[in-house]
Amino acid sequence: MPRLKWGMIGGGEGSQIGPAHRLGSGLDGLFEFTAGALDHRPDAGREYGRRIGLPPDRAYGDWHEMLEGESKRADKVDLVTVATPNATHFEITKGFLQAGFNVLCEKPMTMTVEEGEEIVRLAQETGNICAVNYGYSGYSLVRHMRAMVARGDLGKIRLVKAEFAHGHHADAADADNPRVRWRYDPKQAGVSAQFADCGIHALHMASFVTGQEVESLSADCVSCISSRELEDDAMVNFRMSDGAVGRLWTSSIAIGRQHGLTLQVFGEKGGLRWTQEQPNQLYFMPLNERLQVIERGEANLSPEADRATRVTIGHAEGMPLAFANIYTDLAEAIRARKERRSVDPAANLYPKAEDGLRSMAAVFAVAKSGKEEGVWVDARPPMFR
């Protein structure tokens, strides 16, 4: 079976996220890295693209050049990944969707709710795939959590507790570091800093695992380093569509925390706990029974977990493997469309444009609630109310 053709915008030399995408997309031999506009400096982007194996005529100087060039080709790319600065996501994603390409966009998908709704409508109208890279949903045991909840192992879900807290921006002396400063500048980051950067990953995972959407929320947002205009710590309470209660803490000043993405789900018949820094174990406590440790790769897991397991039991699972599962899902979805067949249900788990829109609506809801001393606000996008 010939490999699908993949292109990337952004993610150039020195990028934090670019290598994870290139590793993830190529891991299963389903995609061939064919085209790219990898740097905001055209010559540097072309040179770096050629250096890492792109054909010279498909190492582009910018995304406009790539869109024009790929649109003219009979062998144009099947999927474009957008890994550029946040403020550019909307126009690039919109441009490629309109031109008939499938897109995987880094989060946040857009900077406003209105832009998000436009992307959702455009994906629906064109029939093109628009995915958003909430890559942590690619971990095999996160998918097993989702399967356990769906088949009723926990009974009705009562409470979800999500965290994404780290301490890497805790040094006040680092306030003028350009790599840090922009994140707390409304002109560059928008209405939210820490919640928009990390909190939405935890919020998406809460919805992904429970199958419920966030309907309303109340937020307490603070700038613990006083020079920052946007929050570096937030506590968010939320209510979900099937009655679950949610608690979410996100922080960038929690010294001693490294990554900090953790999800706990509590139902009538049991509870689950998973943390991204120890992704090989899922802790399950059935009501009135002993604690069970579910190991990634063991027998008798769900089809969703089995499909997402890459290495044998006892070996470490990493972020690029989770990204690879998103790309494997997308390859299945693209091939299914080409072959006019249904998508494998165990693969139809990649985060979609609707997820990106719901996240952006939550960002604005948190910002509004935080400014109004925790007032409860509707967290749904207008088009989903």
Side-chain angles (χ1 to χ4, degrees):
M1 183 181 297
R3 288 186 292 175
L4 297 168
K5 291 179 171 55
W6 174 64
M8 187 175 195
I9 303 168
E13 189 167 20
S15 165
Q16 178 183 10
I17 205 70
H21 278 287
R22 288 190 285 274
L23 287 168
S25 65
L27 187 65
D28 297 290
L30 299 174
F31 287 98
E32 177 185 3
F33 185 29
T34 309
L38 305 179
D39 200 293
H40 68 281
R41 301 163 297 171
D43 290 342
R46 293 189 188 99
E47 192 277 329
Y48 183 63
R50 291 192 292 267
R51 189 162 16 115
I52 60 176
L54 289 180
D57 64 331
R58 299 180 88 167
Y60 297 101
D62 60 40
W63 72 269
H64 296 281
E65 183 181 303
M66 179 170 163
L67 177 58
E68 181 180 1
E70 290 299 307
S71 295
K72 294 177 179 177
R73 301 184 67 104
D75 62 343
K76 67 180 183 180
V77 291
D78 296 287
L79 176 69
V80 175
T81 292
V82 179
T84 54
N86 296 354
T88 65
H89 290 178
F90 169 68
E91 63 172 343
I92 299 174
T93 297
K94 178 181 177 179
F96 276 87
L97 284 175
Q98 287 177 322
F101 293 87
N102 301 306
V103 177
L104 170 61
C105 183
E106 265 298 333
K107 63 85 194 169
M109 183 177 74
T110 61
M111 294 294 285
T112 70
V113 177
E114 292 77 15
E115 289 175 348
E117 291 190 332
E118 186 173 347
I119 292 296
V120 168
R121 291 192 185 98
L122 187 57
Q124 293 171 347
E125 291 167 3
T126 63
N128 298 316
I129 292 169
C130 182
V132 184
N133 191 43
Y134 292 109
Y136 303 113
S137 63
Y139 278 101
S140 57
L141 287 182
V142 171
R143 296 185 169 198
H144 189 59
M145 291 175 79
R146 176 188 172 100
M148 291 178 70
V149 170
R151 71 192 184 195
D153 292 5
L154 277 68
K156 184 175 177 62
I157 302 304
R158 294 170 170 166
L159 174 66
V160 182
K161 185 172 185 294
E163 294 184 4
F164 198 153
H166 66 81
H168 300 301
H169 299 163
D171 189 350
D174 219 17
D176 288 328
N177 181 337
R179 289 182 174 271
V180 175
R181 185 180 60 230
W182 75 267
R183 298 176 184 273
Y184 304 93
D185 179 0
K187 295 183 179 66
Q188 299 182 71
V191 298
S192 171
Q194 179 59 20
F195 182 80
D197 186 31
C198 295
I200 57 174
H201 276 296
L203 196 70
H204 173 264
M205 189 173 288
S207 289
F208 179 80
V209 168
T210 63
Q212 301 185 40
E213 301 297 344
V214 176
E215 293 196 332
S216 60
L217 59 78
S218 168
D220 180 22
C221 301
V222 294
S223 300
C224 294
I225 294 179
S226 60
S227 62
R228 291 174 176 165
E229 292 187 61
L230 298 176
E231 86 287 349
D232 51 25
D233 188 278
M235 182 68 74
V236 182
N237 294 316
F238 56 92
R239 301 283 189 269
M240 306 189 81
S241 52
D242 197 31
V245 174
R247 313 285 187 232
L248 187 153
W249 172 50
T250 186
S251 183
S252 64
I253 51 84
I255 298 173
R257 297 288 293 263
Q258 295 303 320
H259 190 267
L261 179 58
T262 301
L263 185 69
Q264 299 178 79
V265 181
F266 304 100
E268 296 173 327
K269 300 192 297 184
L272 290 168
R273 176 169 57 88
W274 179 87
T275 180
Q276 191 264 344
E277 291 179 55
Q278 289 82 40
N280 280 5
Q281 288 81 36
L282 172 62
Y283 295 89
F284 176 40
M285 174 69 84
L287 181 66
N288 298 324
E289 296 183 29
R290 298 183 65 183
L291 178 66
Q292 300 177 21
V293 180
I294 299 171
E295 291 280 350
R296 183 201 51 77
E298 69 182 30
N300 302 314
L301 296 183
S302 61
E304 293 88 344
D306 290 340
R307 188 178 186 279
T309 295
R310 305 323 194 98
V311 293
T312 54
I313 190 169
H315 294 82
E317 182 179 38
M319 185 185 76
L321 299 183
F323 278 35
N325 287 329
I326 302 294
Y327 278 99
T328 301
D329 291 346
L330 287 167
E332 164 62 13
I334 293 168
R335 291 197 186 282
R337 291 184 179 221
K338 288 175 177 285
E339 298 164 9
R340 300 183 181 277
R341 59 174 175 81
S342 298
V343 179
D344 178 353
N348 194 23
L349 298 179
Y350 63 89
K352 300 172 177 63
E354 290 81 357
D355 299 299
L357 170 58
R358 289 184 186 278
S359 293
M360 186 48 56
V363 167
F364 277 84
V366 165
K368 175 179 174 62
S369 178
K371 288 179 180 178
E372 298 182 14
E373 298 185 347
V375 64
W376 281 86
V377 298
D378 196 325
R380 298 169 297 173
M383 70 183 301
F384 293 157
R385 294 179 186 175

